[in-house]
Amino acid sequence: MFETLKYLIGAAGASGYGSKSTGEQVTENCGGLHSITAIITGATSGIGAETARVLAKRGARLVLPARSLKAAEDAKARIISENPDAEIIVMGLDLSSLNSVRNFVSEFESFNLPLNLLINNAGKFAHEHAISEDGIEMTFATNYLGHFLLTKLLSKKMIETAKTTGIQGRIVNVSSSIYNWFSGDTIRYLGQISRNKSREFDPTRAYALSKLANVLHTKELAQRLKQMETNVTVNCVHPGVVRTRLTREREGMVTDMAFFLTSKLLKTVPQAAATTCYVATHPGLVNVTGKYFSDCNEASTSKLGSNSTEAARLWTASEIMVFRGSKAVFDPLTSTFDYDISMK
């Protein structure tokens, strides 16, 4: 009850910010981002677009990858109309396609640009069951696996940039508190819903699984970056509940009524972007890694979300799924993978 009251009134936490803080407010003391190059996925609308606008206002060079180049160009135009000096690069990327991710990284590397900041923000809620071209359930493929590969392939560039510039690199994974809704065996369920005509598919549970994967990815990646003694951190954020395109895709009487009844709990888009902007830029978070943030303050995760064994297990499974030249075939009865060597 007390936490709900704090949320409703926007009471500031230990960071000095709270649920009512905006992206602009939390970046006022970031010292300017003119030396920062940032990649932000899902920046054509909603929270991602506001995050991009705020970072551009603070001086960061932005790379905006998107499936729709027109949508990305429109987002770029909106930012430049407010900040004419903003440097923004638009690139094509379909996160549900591992081949598209590899092509994006290859093209980005050809620019010989530094990379200080990676914000894995893009999200999808698939109401109908679909399988990606790589044989993975579409929500999981877009929200998690594409970002896993993107981060993996860009890590070297981030480590090199941090070493050369002395500026700590930061990776921000945008999750959701809905991850708490998932229970059960992560790999087994993914195997079940990654089959055609899956009877086990439930849109909300699949979305929760993908958001749990973001949390577990953060935990495991933080440990690996520490072991490598890199100057790169990774943290995870819950932006809060906001009516963006992700939710508008399911408009109707029931949805409209639910949003009306919970309207006092909804954030504005500038408020929803605050936690991402805070974790991406605030000087007080130097060397902070592997943490989960909500309302611009560190928060605890669930037992499953903080399970190191589960995080390592997901990492292993993810590496198999993105393995070049082979297709991971799930066996949901044993929660293991076989290789389809005919794909090599």
Side-chain angles (χ1 to χ4, degrees):
M1 182 66 181
F2 178 65
E3 291 300 318
T4 301
L5 181 60
K6 281 177 61 180
Y7 175 86
L8 290 173
I9 66 176
S15 69
Y17 305 107
S19 62
K20 302 300 183 185
S21 299
T22 66
E24 288 198 22
Q25 290 171 341
V26 304
T27 56
E28 285 177 348
N29 300 315
C30 69
L33 303 176
H34 298 281
S35 59
I36 299 299
T37 298
I39 293 177
I40 309 172
T41 68
T44 59
S45 64
I47 297 169
E50 176 65 7
T51 300
R53 184 191 72 81
V54 171
L55 296 189
K57 182 174 183 176
R58 303 304 180 204
R61 175 199 285 133
L62 303 182
V63 178
L64 306 184
R67 187 171 53 181
S68 168
L69 289 178
K70 182 182 184 304
E73 289 289 355
D74 289 345
K76 174 181 177 178
R78 289 193 297 270
I79 294 172
I80 290 180
S81 68
E82 180 181 340
N83 300 284
D85 295 330
E87 184 177 353
I88 302 174
I89 301 170
V90 167
M91 297 177 64
L93 172 63
D94 180 355
L95 282 162
S96 72
S97 164
L98 299 178
N99 187 55
S100 178
V101 173
R102 292 188 177 96
N103 289 339
F104 167 81
V105 172
S106 179
E107 183 180 0
F108 174 76
E109 289 179 338
S110 72
F111 297 154
N112 292 316
L113 291 173
L115 181 58
N116 310 91
L117 177 60
L118 172 62
I119 300 179
N120 292 320
N121 167 81
K124 177 185 181 66
F125 189 114
H127 304 293
E128 301 296 330
H129 183 249
I131 304 296
S132 76
E133 65 183 43
D134 301 291
I136 308 298
E137 188 277 319
M138 190 62 77
T139 300
F140 190 88
T142 304
N143 296 358
Y144 167 70
L145 194 61
H147 282 128
F148 173 86
L149 180 60
L150 181 68
T151 304
K152 184 179 179 68
L153 296 180
L154 290 173
S155 292
K156 182 180 179 181
K157 171 64 72 172
M158 295 195 72
I159 293 169
E160 290 175 349
T161 300
K163 186 175 182 178
T164 301
T165 64
I167 301 173
Q168 190 167 76
R170 295 189 184 187
I171 301 167
V172 182
N173 288 330
V174 179
S175 182
S176 168
S177 62
I178 290 176
Y179 87 85
N180 283 293
W181 295 11
F182 184 86
S183 61
D185 188 311
T186 56
I187 306 303
R188 185 184 183 89
Y189 183 62
L190 177 60
Q192 291 171 338
I193 63 175
S194 290
R195 296 179 180 276
N196 289 321
K197 299 180 181 179
S198 172
R199 292 179 294 179
E200 292 82 5
F201 178 74
D202 174 83
T204 302
R205 193 178 184 209
Y207 182 75
L209 171 63
S210 73
K211 296 289 100 177
L212 171 62
N214 295 146
V215 174
L216 294 173
H217 177 219
T218 300
K219 185 174 184 65
E220 180 67 15
L221 179 57
Q223 285 299 114
R224 289 172 178 259
L225 291 172
K226 277 184 180 179
Q227 291 170 0
M228 294 169 63
E229 298 183 346
T230 70
N231 191 24
V232 177
T233 65
V234 55
N235 290 290
C236 192
V237 304
H238 164 56
V241 183
V242 59
R243 196 168 194 185
T244 65
R245 193 176 70 179
L246 191 69
T247 51
R248 288 199 303 270
E249 289 177 357
R250 200 169 190 173
E251 285 187 333
M253 184 179 297
V254 174
T255 302
D256 289 341
M257 181 62 69
F259 274 99
F260 172 76
L261 294 174
T262 60
S263 60
K264 297 299 181 182
L265 299 176
L266 294 179
K267 288 186 175 184
T268 65
V269 171
Q271 290 169 349
T275 304
T276 299
C277 291
Y278 171 73
V279 173
T281 68
H282 201 276
L285 295 183
V286 172
N287 296 328
V288 174
T289 191
K291 304 299 182 182
Y292 177 83
F293 289 81
S294 178
D295 298 330
C296 302
N297 285 273
E298 188 178 331
S300 60
T301 54
S302 67
K303 184 177 180 180
L304 183 56
S306 58
N307 189 314
S308 299
T309 300
E310 193 65 24
R313 179 170 174 251
L314 176 65
W315 184 283
T316 299
S318 300
E319 290 207 317
I320 293 173
M321 286 185 277
V322 303
F323 185 80
R324 183 185 292 274
S326 68
K327 184 174 182 180
V329 178
F330 289 95
D331 181 353
L333 297 179
T334 62
S335 300
T336 59
F337 299 86
D338 294 321
Y339 286 116
D340 179 0
I341 58 175
S342 65
M343 296 293 291
K344 291 185 177 179

